[in-house]
């Protein structure tokens, strides 16, 4: 369900940024939008306030975000991308216990932090009024977790087919290890304690993944009757 953008943008003809400034402006807008959503909530965050604090013009905002739901989705998408980038940078690309364990622990550290849990609560609070937005942001966050693990399971230099084959194992991992603890986090359980618990659970889950998921993926991707490999 779409809504029209809230509030009038502050006066002042700033216009569109130059091409070489577009990335910088977008980052500044999303930085401010994230802070406003987390401090004021969805309803009280307005395009007017965003334009003023981000020093962005009307054309800049509306060229990128058709309404507040689209802006919120962009905030969530960027936050997930930041986590995935940090995880990918720390991975050596190998399908080893050490690498899988390290990636999964990093994922736990990225999930159980105040801003991520706050965004989850904000999404849940708006699910009745904006179900499409809530579902879209859920898929962004959940999909980011699954994709980060699937990339590791599929291995360095994987084909698209290998990534598809790795996704079910990554999905099971996320649903068994992280999602139950997220429920505790949403109700206010201490996040450092949940990160420690996640790290303990991760070790057992990685062993299970190596015994089942990775073996199944390797079998699938090397089966000539199933996929082509490079």
């Amino acid at each position: 369900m779409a809504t029209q953008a809230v509030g009038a943008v502050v006066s002042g003809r700033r216009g569109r940024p130059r091409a070489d400034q577009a990335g910088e402006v977008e980052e500044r807008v999303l930085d401010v939008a994230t802070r406003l959503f987390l401090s004021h909530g969805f309803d009280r965050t307005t395009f007017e306030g965003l334009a003023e604090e981000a020093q962005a013009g009307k054309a800049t905002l509306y060229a990128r975000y058709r309404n507040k739901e689209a802006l919120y989705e962009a905030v969530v998408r960027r936050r997930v991308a930041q986590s995935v980038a940090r995880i990918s940078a720390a991975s050596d690309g190998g399908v080893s216990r050490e690498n899988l364990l390290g990636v999964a622990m990093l994922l736990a550290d990225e999930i159980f932090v105040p801003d991520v849990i706050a965004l989850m609560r904000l999404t849940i609070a708006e699910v009745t009024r904006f179900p499409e937005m809530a579902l879209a942001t859920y898929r962004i966050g959940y999909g980011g977790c699954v994709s980060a693990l699937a990339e590791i399971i599929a291995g360095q230099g994987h084909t698209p087919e290998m990534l598809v084959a790795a996704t079910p194992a990554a999905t099971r991992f996320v649903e068994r290890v992280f999602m139950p603890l997220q429920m505790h986090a949403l109700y206010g359980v201490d996040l450092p304690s949940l990160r420690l618990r996640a790290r303990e659970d991760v070790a057992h889950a990685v062993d299970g993944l190596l015994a089942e998921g990775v073996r199944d993926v390797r079998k699938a991707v090397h089966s000539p009757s199933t996929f082509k490999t490079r």
Side-chain angles (χ1 to χ4, degrees):
M1 179 188 301
T3 61
Q4 294 183 350
V6 179
V9 179
V10 293
S11 60
R13 298 177 61 85
R14 297 189 181 93
R16 292 179 181 272
R18 299 195 313 266
D20 61 343
Q21 297 175 322
E24 177 186 339
V25 172
E26 179 120 16
E27 285 299 301
R28 185 170 70 247
V29 167
L30 291 178
D31 283 343
V32 174
T34 300
R35 178 168 55 78
L36 292 177
F37 279 127
L38 292 177
S39 60
H40 298 336
F42 191 82
D43 275 345
R44 293 175 58 198
T45 297
T46 66
F47 271 42
E48 179 180 18
L50 174 61
E52 183 175 9
E53 293 204 32
Q55 298 182 341
K58 180 178 180 179
T60 298
L61 292 179
Y62 285 93
R64 288 167 168 77
Y65 317 109
R66 66 185 183 279
N67 52 36
K68 194 159 57 169
E69 298 98 284
L71 172 65
Y72 183 72
E73 288 179 27
V75 163
V76 173
R77 185 175 290 106
R78 186 185 69 151
R79 181 63 181 85
V80 172
Q82 289 169 341
S83 290
V84 171
R86 285 191 286 268
I87 291 168
S88 298
S91 170
D92 64 13
V95 187
S96 64
R97 185 179 189 278
E98 291 74 18
N99 192 43
L100 283 168
L101 190 60
V103 166
M105 287 184 172
L106 278 175
L107 188 53
D109 289 344
E110 291 287 341
I111 291 172
F112 298 105
V113 291
D115 68 313
V116 170
I117 300 304
L119 287 171
M120 290 177 64
R121 290 187 182 121
L122 188 57
T123 301
I124 293 168
E126 300 299 333
V127 70
T128 301
R129 293 194 304 157
F130 305 110
E132 293 180 4
M133 180 194 76
L135 183 59
T137 53
Y138 164 77
R139 286 172 173 164
I140 292 167
Y142 176 77
C145 291
V146 171
S147 295
L149 279 174
E151 291 273 352
I152 305 304
I153 296 169
Q156 197 167 25
H158 60 263
T159 64
E161 293 85 358
M162 293 170 72
L163 188 61
V164 169
T167 298
T171 299
R172 291 194 299 271
F173 190 100
V174 170
E175 291 180 348
R176 291 174 183 175
V177 177
F178 299 124
M179 293 188 77
L181 295 180
Q182 285 177 336
M183 288 298 297
H184 295 283
L186 290 171
Y187 281 98
V189 174
D190 180 63
L191 291 179
S193 69
L194 289 177
R195 285 196 295 272
L196 287 175
R197 181 174 167 186
R199 283 172 167 267
E200 294 171 357
D201 293 346
V202 155
H204 298 294
V206 164
D207 289 337
L209 187 64
L210 287 168
E212 299 175 9
V214 173
R215 180 193 63 201
D216 293 343
V217 170
R218 291 304 175 195
K219 181 179 178 181
V221 297
H222 291 297
S223 172
S225 63
T226 306
F227 296 121
K228 293 180 179 180
T229 56
R230 292 176 180 174

